[in-house]
Amino acid sequence: MPEARVILKNPSGLHARPAAVFVQAANGFTANIILQRDGKEANGKSILAVMGLGAKYGNELVIRAEGEDADQALATLVALVQAGLGEAELPG
């Protein structure tokens, strides 16, 4: 199962709006998506599960994907998190 580690760069963490951006993107793929923070796992296609991780600015996230389009899903989701999930990054 391919996986990648990323640092959450958006200032507000994974609150409702950025979590919705992540989940909407994840649901565009057939692959199963798992998001992990500090050993706690969540279904990356469920907004309540993603928000339940309580991820904040600067936290490391592990994104795993399994299925037919796993590599493309992983690349897309990593790029989305690195770009701040639609929010401006904090300076510095």
Side-chain angles (χ1 to χ4, degrees), residues 1 11 20 33 43 52 57 60 75 83 85:
M1 178 183 309
I33 308 296
N43 176 349
Y57 174 82
E60 181 182 69
L85 292 161

PDB file of all heavy atoms in Angstrom, residues 1 11 20 33 43 52 57 60 75 83 85:
ATOM      1  N   MET A   1       0.856  -1.177   0.000  1.00  0.00           N
ATOM      2  CA  MET A   1       0.000   0.000   0.000  1.00  0.00           C
ATOM      3  C   MET A   1       0.898   1.235   0.000  1.00  0.00           C
ATOM      4  O   MET A   1       1.656   1.448   0.936  1.00  0.00           O
ATOM      5  CB  MET A   1      -0.905  -0.013   1.235  1.00  0.00           C
ATOM      6  CG  MET A   1      -1.786   1.196   1.350  1.00  0.00           C
ATOM      7  SD  MET A   1      -2.835   1.284   2.834  1.00  0.00           S
ATOM      8  CE  MET A   1      -3.641  -0.281   2.881  1.00  0.00           C
ATOM      9  N   PRO A  11      -3.025  27.055   8.329  1.00  0.00           N
ATOM     10  CA  PRO A  11      -3.026  27.584   9.699  1.00  0.00           C
ATOM     11  C   PRO A  11      -4.097  27.016  10.621  1.00  0.00           C
ATOM     12  O   PRO A  11      -3.882  26.892  11.826  1.00  0.00           O
ATOM     13  CB  PRO A  11      -3.236  29.087   9.527  1.00  0.00           C
ATOM     14  CG  PRO A  11      -3.114  29.382   8.089  1.00  0.00           C
ATOM     15  CD  PRO A  11      -3.156  28.097   7.335  1.00  0.00           C
ATOM     16  N   ALA A  20     -13.185  19.072   4.344  1.00  0.00           N
ATOM     17  CA  ALA A  20     -14.111  18.842   3.238  1.00  0.00           C
ATOM     18  C   ALA A  20     -13.370  18.831   1.896  1.00  0.00           C
ATOM     19  O   ALA A  20     -13.682  18.019   1.021  1.00  0.00           O
ATOM     20  CB  ALA A  20     -15.212  19.903   3.226  1.00  0.00           C
ATOM     21  N   ILE A  33      -8.683   5.293   1.085  1.00  0.00           N
ATOM     22  CA  ILE A  33      -7.744   6.292   1.582  1.00  0.00           C
ATOM     23  C   ILE A  33      -7.763   6.261   3.101  1.00  0.00           C
ATOM     24  O   ILE A  33      -8.829   6.359   3.726  1.00  0.00           O
ATOM     25  CB  ILE A  33      -8.121   7.716   1.107  1.00  0.00           C
ATOM     26  CG1 ILE A  33      -8.312   7.767  -0.412  1.00  0.00           C
ATOM     27  CG2 ILE A  33      -7.099   8.735   1.598  1.00  0.00           C
ATOM     28  CD1 ILE A  33      -7.080   7.471  -1.225  1.00  0.00           C
ATOM     29  N   ASN A  43     -10.743   7.053   8.082  1.00  0.00           N
ATOM     30  CA  ASN A  43     -11.157   6.866   6.691  1.00  0.00           C
ATOM     31  C   ASN A  43     -11.070   8.228   6.005  1.00  0.00           C
ATOM     32  O   ASN A  43     -11.782   9.161   6.380  1.00  0.00           O
ATOM     33  CB  ASN A  43     -12.585   6.331   6.653  1.00  0.00           C
ATOM     34  CG  ASN A  43     -13.135   6.191   5.256  1.00  0.00           C
ATOM     35  OD1 ASN A  43     -12.560   6.665   4.277  1.00  0.00           O
ATOM     36  ND2 ASN A  43     -14.282   5.537   5.156  1.00  0.00           N
ATOM     37  N   GLY A  52     -12.105  14.166  13.092  1.00  0.00           N
ATOM     38  CA  GLY A  52     -11.873  13.522  14.379  1.00  0.00           C
ATOM     39  C   GLY A  52     -10.410  13.297  14.705  1.00  0.00           C
ATOM     40  O   GLY A  52     -10.061  13.058  15.863  1.00  0.00           O
ATOM     41  N   TYR A  57      -2.004  22.665  12.595  1.00  0.00           N
ATOM     42  CA  TYR A  57      -0.863  23.187  11.846  1.00  0.00           C
ATOM     43  C   TYR A  57       0.439  22.568  12.362  1.00  0.00           C
ATOM     44  O   TYR A  57       0.670  22.510  13.571  1.00  0.00           O
ATOM     45  CB  TYR A  57      -0.814  24.714  11.993  1.00  0.00           C
ATOM     46  CG  TYR A  57       0.408  25.341  11.380  1.00  0.00           C
ATOM     47  CD1 TYR A  57       0.464  25.595  10.020  1.00  0.00           C
ATOM     48  CD2 TYR A  57       1.508  25.665  12.165  1.00  0.00           C
ATOM     49  CE1 TYR A  57       1.592  26.163   9.448  1.00  0.00           C
ATOM     50  CE2 TYR A  57       2.642  26.234  11.601  1.00  0.00           C
ATOM     51  CZ  TYR A  57       2.675  26.475  10.243  1.00  0.00           C
ATOM     52  OH  TYR A  57       3.797  27.036   9.683  1.00  0.00           O
ATOM     53  N   GLU A  60       2.369  16.064  11.522  1.00  0.00           N
ATOM     54  CA  GLU A  60       2.706  15.170  10.423  1.00  0.00           C
ATOM     55  C   GLU A  60       1.532  14.232  10.183  1.00  0.00           C
ATOM     56  O   GLU A  60       0.997  13.645  11.120  1.00  0.00           O
ATOM     57  CB  GLU A  60       3.949  14.349  10.742  1.00  0.00           C
ATOM     58  CG  GLU A  60       4.326  13.421   9.597  1.00  0.00           C
ATOM     59  CD  GLU A  60       5.535  12.557   9.900  1.00  0.00           C
ATOM     60  OE1 GLU A  60       5.408  11.669  10.767  1.00  0.00           O
ATOM     61  OE2 GLU A  60       6.583  12.786   9.281  1.00  0.00           O
ATOM     62  N   ALA A  75      -0.676  10.844  -4.933  1.00  0.00           N
ATOM     63  CA  ALA A  75       0.005  12.024  -5.470  1.00  0.00           C
ATOM     64  C   ALA A  75      -0.887  13.266  -5.387  1.00  0.00           C
ATOM     65  O   ALA A  75      -0.439  14.352  -4.987  1.00  0.00           O
ATOM     66  CB  ALA A  75       0.425  11.777  -6.918  1.00  0.00           C
ATOM     67  N   ALA A  83      -0.228  22.093  -0.602  1.00  0.00           N
ATOM     68  CA  ALA A  83      -0.698  23.395  -1.081  1.00  0.00           C
ATOM     69  C   ALA A  83      -1.585  24.105  -0.055  1.00  0.00           C
ATOM     70  O   ALA A  83      -2.079  25.193  -0.318  1.00  0.00           O
ATOM     71  CB  ALA A  83      -1.453  23.218  -2.391  1.00  0.00           C
ATOM     72  N   LEU A  85      -4.524  22.924   1.392  1.00  0.00           N
ATOM     73  CA  LEU A  85      -5.945  22.552   1.377  1.00  0.00           C
ATOM     74  C   LEU A  85      -6.862  23.757   1.137  1.00  0.00           C
ATOM     75  O   LEU A  85      -7.899  23.916   1.773  1.00  0.00           O
ATOM     76  CB  LEU A  85      -6.339  21.844   2.678  1.00  0.00           C
ATOM     77  CG  LEU A  85      -5.701  20.464   2.862  1.00  0.00           C
ATOM     78  CD1 LEU A  85      -5.760  20.038   4.314  1.00  0.00           C
ATOM     79  CD2 LEU A  85      -6.377  19.446   1.981  1.00  0.00           C
TER      80      LEU A  85
END
